[in-house]
Amino acid sequence: MRTPPMKIVVLSGGVGGARFLSGLLAAKAPDDEITVIGNTADDIWLFGMRVCPDLDTVMYTLGNGIDPERRWGRTDETWNAKEELGAYGEETWFGLGDRDLATHLIRTKLLHEGVGLAEITARLCERWQPGVRLLPMTEQEVETHIGVDGADGIDTIHFQEYWIRLGAKVPVRELEFRGAEAAKAGPGVIDAIHGADLVILPPSNPIVSIGAILSVDEVAEAVRTTKAPVVGVSPIIGTAAVRGMADQLLEGLGIEISAGAVARHLGARSTGGVLDAWLVDTSDEAAVVSIEEAGIRAKAVPLYMNDDATTAQLARDTLAFA
Amino acid sequence: MRTPPMKIVVLSGGVGGARFLSGLLAAKAPDDEITVIGNTADDIWLFGMRVCPDLDTVMYTLGNGIDPERRWGRTDETWNAKEELGAYGEETWFGLGDRDLATHLIRTKLLHEGVGLAEITARLCERWQPGVRLLPMTEQEVETHIGVDGADGIDTIHFQEYWIRLGAKVPVRELEFRGAEAAKAGPGVIDAIHGADLVILPPSNPIVSIGAILSVDEVAEAVRTTKAPVVGVSPIIGTAAVRGMADQLLEGLGIEISAGAVARHLGARSTGGVLDAWLVDTSDEAAVVSIEEAGIRAKAVPLYMNDDATTAQLARDTLAFA
């Protein structure tokens, strides 16, 4: 029995975080308030438009606008603009759907009018009513860039190019959150973290989603110092990412692909990290002891979000563990 | 029998000019070269994209990409981005088709990279192969603005808003080619006009197409001084525009809606105008005498471009008259 209402903050990337959030919305008490700090480091300028894949995936998923098969982009989507870009000889590795374009066009128009990304996101959410307050981690441009093997040493490319065009199939040699050093937390972000009753790191990519959000010093500092407990859900089950391609990134950065290694990478708050507690899958129960030795409470519960029921149960387990 | 090949320059707006040009391509000798000076004064910024309706209508029409029913926009077009813009509460009076968007996105991207509109248009035409050299009248932004009755005097709105949103159904009180005073002719425009063997003013809107092109002083001066004859085709038959809504504009500016009045408005080159000769419809044969009295050779031929055959015949009549 929880009273009074909880203020829950979730640091989220795209698909995995959005899925967890849909479960959290089902699991929370009616008056609980959820604030999402969304990753913006995989945002990209494409054809003069500012595309924010993670913010949009959260917004569309929670607003019932997401394509349920792909888990990104819009329902009833068409791809005629993209087909035409290809006919003009332009690169079309990024999935720009016709319906999705409207979101990018409005965002870009408002950016050019001087409106901040937080306000823009709030206005877009007026349509989608995602049931959460969705805040960009920063309003400055932070972009994840990946160093890959090139003809003459390391070629640095935008994360999206690595992720989508190259299908994350080449070794990662370097990773940079370009712009992070100068970036400030977005409007409302610090207050939300400091005012939270619970901070959750959902099973988003630990490097390019959670790691990217924490690359903004102000945000990481707030997570390290908030009075709220910080509970994470492992994005790794066994030796593979639950969804997405987090494993390739971990491997490239020399981090073992396991629930325990990711927990230790994020670190215990008692030793300067960001975690108080960490949920691993029941199949990884053996890792609990070593995670707790690192100063992080740990517990094994079913992590697969196969359907609405298991997703909501994972959210309930997360709330209960906190 | 014409030898050697002719260099033909056509000052063109959108639908009417493009239709005439398709006939001219059918009527010309194989080695004749056509350069089109395209109107850019109805260009508009929409959602951060630079939209050039007349350039695109010429390009799509001559490149077989135009919707044959609407006579503007793309074949097999869908409107999902536009539908979504509406769902977000944005204004959607302008017909932004999904396929068409690709053209605007590429143009805008290149503009932001510092590429000039003439070079951009040439690159877009590499795909469409319109069979003409298509040159923007200027690379500076000239925009036609229309003064209409507002609550507190005259409201000035972009031509597209008057034309499309208001359906040209309100009285025109003022007309301004904003930016024209400072605009230079686009790359290649002056050389094309001075090097022409024939300059044609097709049945485009005499005010917002032909008039807009001539609002750039350098262009008007070149048309006045070229050694080539300048032949115009009346966009008015009887007391109405052949297509489009030119009549409302003429009325608003106090110009009689007749083939003769438009000829006199454009004026004889011998008296500082831009016309040597003017074709009127056979139904307007009675106007020939008064037009010739104004110093402009005139002839009556069938002007309706009902199909490919009549359109090509009009082009042949124009070449023959010159």
Side-chain angles (χ1 to χ4, degrees):
Chain A
M1 294 250 292
R2 284 181 278 114
T3 52
M6 287 181 76
K7 290 190 169 131
I8 306 169
V9 166
V10 181
L11 275 53
S12 179
V15 178
R19 184 102 178 108
F20 179 87
L21 283 162
S22 68
L24 189 60
L25 280 166
K28 77 182 186 72
D31 291 340
D32 291 348
E33 291 172 7
I34 302 174
T35 299
V36 178
I37 317 293
N39 173 40
T40 60
D42 58 358
D43 295 3
I44 187 168
W45 285 102
L46 286 172
F47 298 101
M49 298 178 296
R50 190 63 175 169
V51 179
C52 301
D54 282 0
L55 294 179
D56 288 352
T57 295
V58 170
M59 183 173 77
Y60 293 158
T61 299
L62 303 183
N64 293 316
I66 202 87
D67 181 280
E69 299 299 318
R70 278 196 313 275
R71 302 262 167 99
W72 60 267
R74 294 291 317 285
T75 43
D76 301 318
E77 188 57 288
T78 55
W79 308 91
N80 287 325
K82 180 177 165 173
E83 182 181 307
E84 295 295 324
L85 289 170
Y88 275 114
E90 298 286 335
E91 292 192 0
T92 57
W93 49 266
F94 194 90
L96 282 176
D98 296 331
R99 293 187 184 279
D100 199 21
L101 275 172
T103 302
H104 311 322
L105 288 173
I106 292 171
R107 175 186 294 121
T108 305
K109 183 189 80 161
L110 292 171
L111 282 173
H112 287 313
E113 288 173 5
V115 182
L117 187 60
E119 169 66 19
I120 292 170
T121 305
R123 289 197 206 174
L124 294 171
C125 283
E126 281 176 21
R127 172 181 174 198
W128 294 104
Q129 297 288 321
V132 302
R133 190 165 60 123
L134 178 57
L135 303 179
M137 68 191 209
T138 180
E139 291 195 320
Q140 279 86 53
E141 286 184 20
V142 176
E143 288 190 340
T144 304
H145 286 250
I146 305 281
V148 299
D149 293 329
D152 304 304
I154 302 291
D155 280 351
T156 303
I157 56 179
H158 191 286
F159 169 71
Q160 295 293 355
E161 196 173 348
Y162 161 78
W163 198 249
I164 298 175
R165 188 170 73 78
L166 301 180
K169 290 201 179 81
V170 299
V172 174
R173 303 302 184 195
E174 295 174 358
L175 179 138
E176 178 194 0
F177 299 117
R178 192 170 290 178
E181 278 183 29
K184 300 283 173 193
V189 167
I190 301 302
D191 284 351
I193 297 171
H194 280 309
D197 300 304
L198 172 61
V199 174
I200 299 176
L201 311 191
S204 286
N205 189 306
I207 308 298
V208 292
S209 295
I210 303 298
I213 297 171
L214 297 172
S215 77
V216 179
D217 280 344
E218 285 188 344
V219 179
E221 184 62 18
V223 173
R224 280 192 292 264
T225 58
T226 178
K227 278 170 263 176
V230 181
V231 180
V233 179
S234 175
I236 303 291
I237 297 179
T239 58
V242 180
R243 70 178 64 245
M245 303 170 276
D247 28 8
Q248 289 95 320
L249 277 162
L250 289 167
E251 196 169 37
L253 298 171
I255 301 167
E256 183 190 293
I257 305 166
S258 74
V262 171
R264 285 186 291 274
H265 171 72
L266 293 171
R269 290 220 292 171
S270 55
T271 62
V274 296
L275 288 178
D276 294 311
W278 188 243
L279 287 171
V280 302
D281 187 60
T282 43
S283 64
D284 287 322
E285 184 142 26
V288 166
V289 173
S290 69
I291 296 168
E292 296 213 318
E293 283 172 359
I296 301 163
R297 287 174 55 219
K299 186 178 175 184
V301 300
L303 290 198
Y304 282 107
M305 299 184 286
N306 294 317
D307 51 32
D308 290 349
T310 51
T311 304
Q313 185 56 47
L314 174 57
R316 271 190 291 274
D317 289 341
T318 306
L319 294 174
F321 188 43
Chain B
M1 294 254 288
R2 284 180 277 113
T3 53
M6 286 181 78
K7 290 188 171 135
I8 306 169
V9 167
V10 181
L11 274 54
S12 179
V15 178
R19 185 100 178 110
F20 179 87
L21 282 163
S22 68
L24 188 60
L25 279 167
K28 79 180 184 70
D31 291 341
D32 290 349
E33 291 172 9
I34 302 174
T35 298
V36 177
I37 316 293
N39 174 37
T40 61
D42 58 358
D43 295 3
I44 187 168
W45 285 102
L46 285 172
F47 299 101
M49 297 178 295
R50 190 63 175 169
V51 179
C52 302
D54 283 359
L55 294 180
D56 289 351
T57 295
V58 170
M59 184 173 75
Y60 293 159
T61 300
L62 304 184
N64 292 314
I66 202 87
D67 181 281
E69 298 301 317
R70 279 194 314 276
R71 302 264 169 99
W72 60 267
R74 292 292 317 283
T75 43
D76 301 318
E77 189 58 289
T78 55
W79 307 90
N80 287 324
K82 180 178 166 173
E83 182 180 306
E84 295 295 323
L85 289 170
Y88 275 113
E90 298 286 335
E91 292 191 359
T92 58
W93 49 266
F94 193 90
L96 281 177
D98 297 330
R99 292 186 185 280
D100 199 21
L101 275 172
T103 302
H104 311 323
L105 288 173
I106 292 172
R107 175 187 294 120
T108 306
K109 184 189 79 162
L110 292 171
L111 282 173
H112 287 312
E113 289 173 5
V115 182
L117 187 59
E119 169 66 20
I120 292 169
T121 305
R123 289 196 206 175
L124 294 170
C125 284
E126 280 176 21
R127 173 180 174 199
W128 293 105
Q129 297 289 321
V132 302
R133 191 165 60 126
L134 179 57
L135 303 178
M137 69 191 210
T138 180
E139 291 196 321
Q140 280 87 53
E141 285 184 20
V142 176
E143 289 190 340
T144 304
H145 286 251
I146 304 281
V148 299
D149 292 330
D152 305 305
I154 300 292
D155 280 351
T156 302
I157 57 179
H158 191 286
F159 169 70
Q160 296 292 354
E161 198 173 348
Y162 162 78
W163 198 248
I164 298 176
R165 188 170 74 76
L166 301 180
K169 291 203 177 79
V170 299
V172 173
R173 303 303 185 194
E174 294 173 359
L175 179 138
E176 177 195 0
F177 299 117
R178 193 170 290 179
E181 279 183 28
K184 299 283 172 192
V189 167
I190 300 303
D191 284 350
I193 297 171
H194 279 309
D197 299 304
L198 170 62
V199 174
I200 299 176
L201 310 191
S204 286
N205 189 305
I207 307 298
V208 292
S209 296
I210 304 298
I213 297 171
L214 297 172
S215 77
V216 179
D217 280 342
E218 285 188 344
V219 179
E221 184 60 21
V223 174
R224 280 193 291 265
T225 58
T226 179
K227 277 170 265 178
V230 181
V231 180
V233 179
S234 176
I236 302 291
I237 297 179
T239 58
V242 180
R243 68 178 64 246
M245 303 171 277
D247 28 9
Q248 289 94 321
L249 277 162
L250 288 168
E251 196 168 38
L253 298 171
I255 300 168
E256 183 190 293
I257 304 168
S258 73
V262 172
R264 285 185 291 274
H265 172 71
L266 293 170
R269 290 220 294 172
S270 55
T271 62
V274 295
L275 287 179
D276 294 311
W278 189 243
L279 287 172
V280 301
D281 187 60
T282 42
S283 64
D284 287 322
E285 183 142 26
V288 165
V289 172
S290 69
I291 295 168
E292 297 212 319
E293 282 171 0
I296 301 164
R297 288 175 54 219
K299 185 178 175 184
V301 300
L303 289 197
Y304 282 107
M305 299 184 285
N306 294 319
D307 50 32
D308 290 349
T310 50
T311 304
Q313 185 57 47
L314 173 58
R316 270 190 293 274
D317 288 342
T318 307
L319 293 174
F321 188 43

